[in-house]
Amino acid sequence: MPAYGFHASHEQFRPSDLLRLVGVAREAGFDRAMCSDHFAPFGAEQGESGFAWSWLGAALARTDLPFGVVNAPGQRYHPAIVAQAAAALAEMFPGRFWLAVASGQALNEHITGERWPSKPERNARLRECVEVIRALFARECVSHRGLVTVDRAVLWSRPAEPPPVYAAAVTPATAGWAASWADGLITINQPLPKVRRVVEAYRAAGGSGPLLLQVHLCWASDEAAALREAHTQWLREYAELGVDEFYLHHVGRDQAAFLDRFGSHVLPDLR
């Protein structure tokens, strides 16, 4: 049976509000959560963008939910810093944190002032970052010269078991490329045939591990019964692709009402 999580959108809400909302999600019956990791919102009307890693520590301590984050190491984040942050969370909250990595967006990464690489170069840089992160998790002293530079880095505080490192992909090409190194795959909702091609590309290339799907949706109280049925059928179609974990992102403002309604009506039906 798939698990259903709450996506905490730092672009939409203050960190303090999101911290309260994960508690609401837990009470409503959601059994996991994830958050975005951006420096800026997608538009000024969203109006927020808290620091994901500070918030994750507080959210993990506040609830008993597993949490994850999608991060782009290589430009705004040095991979050794990502490894240190992930290791600290995994040590404090064993078995409750996962890290997904992606090649990044100029929207966030431009703040360093460095050149924005092409997609093939960003993929190559991401692969180097994953190798650095995994080597640090494995207690190695890491020096590396390539698209990223690391000088004699060692993680002194490490979890007994390192967190899984998933790949974030929205195209079949990226999903197939990531299959050789990822512990699992996270993608976003697109038309069902497109998501199927992403999943098939990952599995056909030998990709294993869990399949996670971030679902963007908008809920309103009008015509609640019809909307409930429509959303239920939509999520079931994705579940038939083998999705293990859903992370629901309500793009509207009334998060508490959404969580309450989905928790009381939709999640029991899906389960």
Side-chain angles (χ1 to χ4, degrees):
M1 183 189 303
Y4 295 91
F6 169 58
H7 174 77
S9 176
H10 284 290
E11 305 84 62
Q12 292 177 267
F13 300 96
R14 293 177 299 176
S16 57
D17 290 335
L18 289 178
L19 197 59
R20 175 182 57 83
L21 286 169
V22 293
V24 175
R26 180 68 180 90
E27 291 299 316
F30 287 77
D31 49 26
R32 58 203 58 234
M34 67 170 289
C35 74
S36 51
D37 182 5
H38 294 161
F39 191 82
F42 290 103
E45 66 279 1
Q46 288 184 303
E48 298 289 342
S49 198
F51 186 56
W53 295 91
S54 301
W55 183 85
L56 281 163
L60 281 156
R62 187 182 183 107
T63 75
D64 60 356
L65 299 176
F67 279 80
V69 65
V70 180
N71 174 267
Q75 189 157 328
R76 183 166 50 109
Y77 285 102
H78 191 280
I81 299 301
V82 174
Q84 185 185 33
L89 290 177
E91 194 280 331
M92 289 187 290
F93 308 102
R96 290 178 52 206
F97 175 72
W98 55 261
L99 168 67
V101 293
S103 61
Q105 299 168 310
L107 169 73
N108 300 298
E109 313 308 320
H110 76 87
I111 64 167
T112 67
E114 298 176 10
R115 177 183 63 86
W116 182 237
S118 66
K119 177 61 172 175
E121 185 176 343
R122 297 201 314 274
N123 279 359
R125 181 176 68 183
L126 177 60
R127 182 62 186 271
E128 289 184 19
C129 288
V130 171
E131 292 173 356
V132 167
I133 291 168
R134 285 226 171 95
L136 288 168
F137 286 165
R139 309 187 177 205
E140 297 178 19
C141 177
V142 179
S143 291
H144 178 85
R145 298 290 185 275
L147 294 171
V148 293
T149 299
V150 184
D151 179 43
R152 295 169 293 172
V154 176
L155 281 187
W156 291 95
S157 296
R158 296 178 297 268
E161 293 291 335
V165 180
Y166 301 146
V170 296
T171 67
T174 300
W177 166 76
S180 65
W181 55 263
D183 294 324
L185 180 73
I186 183 169
T187 189
I188 61 172
N189 65 296
Q190 304 179 78
L192 196 65
K194 291 186 176 181
V195 176
R196 181 178 290 111
R197 288 195 290 271
V198 171
V199 173
E200 289 175 347
Y202 180 72
R203 297 301 190 203
S208 61
L211 174 62
L212 288 61
L213 183 70
Q214 184 187 31
V215 179
H216 304 284
L217 53 87
C218 188
W219 171 87
S221 59
D222 297 337
E223 301 180 7
L227 284 172
R228 183 172 69 248
E229 179 61 28
H231 287 316
T232 301
Q233 180 61 29
W234 183 38
L235 293 173
R236 281 180 173 148
E237 289 175 349
Y238 285 120
E240 290 171 359
L241 297 178
V243 173
D244 298 291
E245 300 176 17
F246 288 92
Y247 292 89
L248 306 184
H249 174 206
H250 171 41
V251 299
R253 300 298 303 176
D254 196 346
Q255 297 285 311
F258 156 72
L259 292 167
D260 176 70
R261 186 61 59 90
F262 263 64
S264 60
H265 294 281
V266 179
L267 294 185
D269 189 42
L270 288 169
R271 290 168 173 151

